[in-house]
Each structure stands twice: as C-alpha cells, then as structure tokens.
Amino acid sequence: MADHGERNAVAAPFSSLAVRSSTEWVADHASHVSIDPAGIAKVVDSLHGDLPAVSWDFEGIHYFDGGPLTAQYLLVLDTLNFCFWPDGDLHYDHLAAGLKRALQRDNSIFDAKSLKSFTGIQLRELLEWPRPLPLEDERARLLAEVGTELERSFDGQAVNLILAASGSAVALVELVAMHFPGFRDHSVYKGHQVFLYKRAQIFVADLWGAFKGQGLGAFADIAAITMFADYIVPAVLRQWGILNYSPKLARIVDNLEELSSGTEEEIEIRACTIAAVEMLREKLRSKAGKERMHKLVLDQSDLRYSLQCRGSAYHPARPPVL
C-alpha cells in the first residue's frame, strides 16, 4: 500500500473531528473494506478490561537525550517514516536505529543545513543499507524541505517548532502541516475530502511517548490525536477479524501488489483502520474506567510501536496491546 509524499498542495487546519468524521464516512460508504463489529467485540472481550502497557522505546532503537536533539531526531525520523514494504528486509526499526547510530556518530548530522544537502545515495549510506531505499530520492527531497523550512522559520531547530505550539498537540499538527507540505495527508474519496495526517500526528505522539508527557512532550490536548493509518496495523486488524477485504482487494494485498496512493482501495484501508480503532476505544471505555482512559490516548502510539516493530510475531488469537 503506497503511503508517501504530499497529498494536497494546500494545507488545511488539523481537526481530529475532521479526521474522525471523514474516515467514518469512508467506512460507511466503502466498497472494498468493511469493519466487523463482532471482531471488535471479540477483541474487547479478550482484554477483560486489562490494558497492557508498552513503553515508547521498548525495543531500544530510538535516540533519546532528553533535550532538543531528540526533537530534531524525531522530526527527521517521522519525515522518513513511510514506505518500507517494497523491500522485504527493510523495516521501521532499521530506520529508527540507523538514524540513532548516525546521530551518535555526529550530533550535527541533522542540523537544518545538513538536511538540505542530503541525496538519496547519502541517505542510504547513512542508514548503512546495502541497496537503494524505497523512494530514496523522495525521502531526500522531503529532508531538504524540512531543513529549508526549519532554517527559514524556526532558526533551524525542531524544538522551536514545538515551542511555537504552546503545549497543544492540535496546534503542533497544524504547524507541521502548514510548514512542511510533505506531511499533508489529505485525499479525495467519492467526492469527499478525507483527512488522515498520519506522520504529523506520529510526530506529536512520538514526542509525547519519548518525553513521557513532560517537557517537550507535554500536550494538554493529547487526546485529540487519532490512530495513525500505516500499513502494519490494518494487516493485524484483518488477522483479528476486525477488517474484512473484498475478494479482489484480498488478492491484491495477499499477492503483495502495490496499491497506488489515492486509490479507493488504499483510502478505504487507511480510513477504516482509523475508524476501527476509534470503535475499539469506545468499546473499551466501559471496561477501562475513566482513570484508565488517558492511557488509551497512548494506545495510538503503543499500538503502532507494538505492531510496527513486532507485528510479524503477533498471532490472530492474541489480543492487541492497547
């Protein structure tokens, strides 16, 4: 499933309500993907109100020093966090750990000036990957875009971008989408605008998780962040019987054929993923209790990290980590 690049030349203000309502509309009108309430009920029942905790960096692959350099690292990481699957050996952990190693070798490697000059080949070498990365020239272009705008508007520092949001997750997503076109994640589906904002929201959630909701990761409205529609989570939701695909789409996915960005099938998978997780959250409210609902905010990042980094180890019979 394609998942990259700029979707819309004009930034729209981020609204979690718009994400939720537009993805719900897609789910209600989808032709290729459906959400099975029975599958959701089965998963909810299997949890018995227990929500196992998963730390942000449980795999030890991320850079963290507790300061501005971590913010710079996370912005670079989430700029590049797309499109791994065409290379069967490349995964998110290679990206996160490779960037961590590079930063440990040279703490100026992600300065705005450096970001502006990367080529696809240099990025490949930075990550110590033995062959061309998927869309490596596009990745380099996005890094240059981030470096240029950081230099122009934020004195070259991601920390200044974060501080400009004044502790608001929504404001930070808006700022990211406004200043960096590569983070704009909009599509048109059957004549309706659909808002996803995957990587812009991941950046906020990464800050929240890395800093444990304190300092640069303190966001009073973190609950506004929705699920991130990547390519691992829908695969696992399908395993658990929550998402169902039409026979035609199932053949395409099972044969590992690429779904072009912006197609009905691609939008339906991503939108129904968000809608399904929102339904899971609602069902879990009564079991988790009010005191646990703030933890459910983190199910978005916890679920992504658990499935993205260890998705191949999960079994359909196992409940999800929420």
Side-chain angles (χ1 to χ4, degrees):
M1 180 171 62
D3 175 21
H4 56 82
E6 179 180 347
R7 293 299 188 89
N8 194 308
V10 178
F14 169 72
S15 166
S16 59
L17 180 60
V19 173
R20 290 180 171 92
S21 62
S22 66
T23 54
E24 285 175 6
W25 193 93
V26 173
D28 289 341
H29 296 83
S31 305
H32 312 280
V33 182
S34 61
I35 301 172
D36 187 350
I40 292 175
K42 183 177 180 180
V43 169
V44 171
D45 288 343
S46 72
L47 288 172
H48 303 296
D50 183 29
L51 304 175
V54 178
S55 63
W56 172 75
D57 190 34
F58 68 90
E59 342 81 315
I61 59 176
H62 297 94
Y63 179 88
F64 182 78
D65 70 350
L69 200 54
T70 295
Q72 200 84 359
Y73 163 82
L74 291 176
L75 183 59
V76 171
L77 172 64
D78 291 325
T79 298
L80 300 173
N81 184 10
F82 63 89
C83 195
F84 300 100
W85 70 265
D87 186 324
D89 297 321
L90 182 66
H91 303 288
Y92 169 84
D93 55 348
H94 295 114
L95 175 65
L99 295 177
K100 175 183 177 180
R101 289 192 302 270
L103 191 55
Q104 289 172 332
R105 290 192 299 266
D106 179 0
N107 63 12
S108 69
I109 193 68
F110 300 141
D111 288 354
K113 183 178 179 180
S114 298
L115 295 179
K116 289 164 57 178
S117 64
F118 270 109
T119 65
I121 293 176
Q122 288 173 330
L123 178 59
R124 183 198 321 171
E125 293 172 347
L126 182 78
L127 295 175
E128 301 173 354
W129 198 246
R131 53 187 172 273
L133 298 163
L135 299 171
E136 65 179 24
D137 290 334
E138 172 64 5
R139 295 178 192 274
R141 185 194 71 78
L142 291 171
L143 286 180
E145 176 182 276
V146 167
T148 298
E149 185 58 20
L150 281 179
E151 201 169 65
R152 177 166 51 210
S153 300
F154 300 102
D155 197 27
Q157 298 295 314
V159 65
N160 293 329
L161 166 69
I162 297 164
L163 294 175
S166 301
S168 168
V170 169
L172 184 52
V173 174
E174 287 182 351
L175 282 169
V176 170
M178 180 186 304
H179 286 275
F180 309 112
F183 279 84
R184 298 172 192 167
D185 200 0
H186 315 160
S187 293
V188 176
Y189 174 82
K190 296 183 178 180
H192 287 253
Q193 190 82 31
V194 181
F195 302 94
L196 299 166
Y197 291 97
K198 172 196 161 186
R199 289 182 296 117
Q201 293 196 83
I202 288 177
F203 176 54
V204 173
D206 278 347
L207 289 164
W208 168 269
F211 289 90
K212 303 185 186 305
Q214 304 295 317
L216 295 176
F219 301 107
D221 56 350
I222 189 65
I225 299 302
T226 69
M227 182 60 216
F228 322 126
D230 70 359
Y231 66 99
I232 292 293
V233 177
V236 178
L237 293 181
R238 184 184 176 208
Q239 280 188 322
W240 288 328
I242 292 175
L243 291 185
N244 293 318
Y245 294 171
S246 69
K248 177 182 177 182
L249 178 57
R251 285 194 299 272
I252 292 172
V253 171
D254 293 341
N255 290 330
L256 301 181
E257 299 175 20
E258 181 174 348
L259 289 172
S260 298
S261 177
T263 61
E264 280 195 5
E265 294 89 344
E266 188 254 1
I267 295 171
E268 287 184 15
I269 290 174
R270 300 182 74 205
C272 288
T273 295
I274 294 174
V277 172
E278 290 298 318
M279 292 171 67
L280 272 172
R281 293 180 75 192
E282 288 301 313
K283 292 291 184 181
L284 284 166
R285 283 181 185 273
S286 59
K287 290 201 171 189
K290 185 176 180 181
E291 70 279 4
R292 299 295 303 279
M293 279 312 297
H294 201 59
K295 171 63 181 68
L296 280 179
V297 171
L298 279 178
D299 79 324
Q300 313 302 355
S301 54
D302 286 350
L303 179 62
R304 178 173 70 90
Y305 292 127
S306 297
L307 303 186
Q308 196 170 45
C309 299
R310 299 189 297 183
S312 61
Y314 279 75
H315 187 277
R318 300 181 187 175
V321 178
L322 288 173

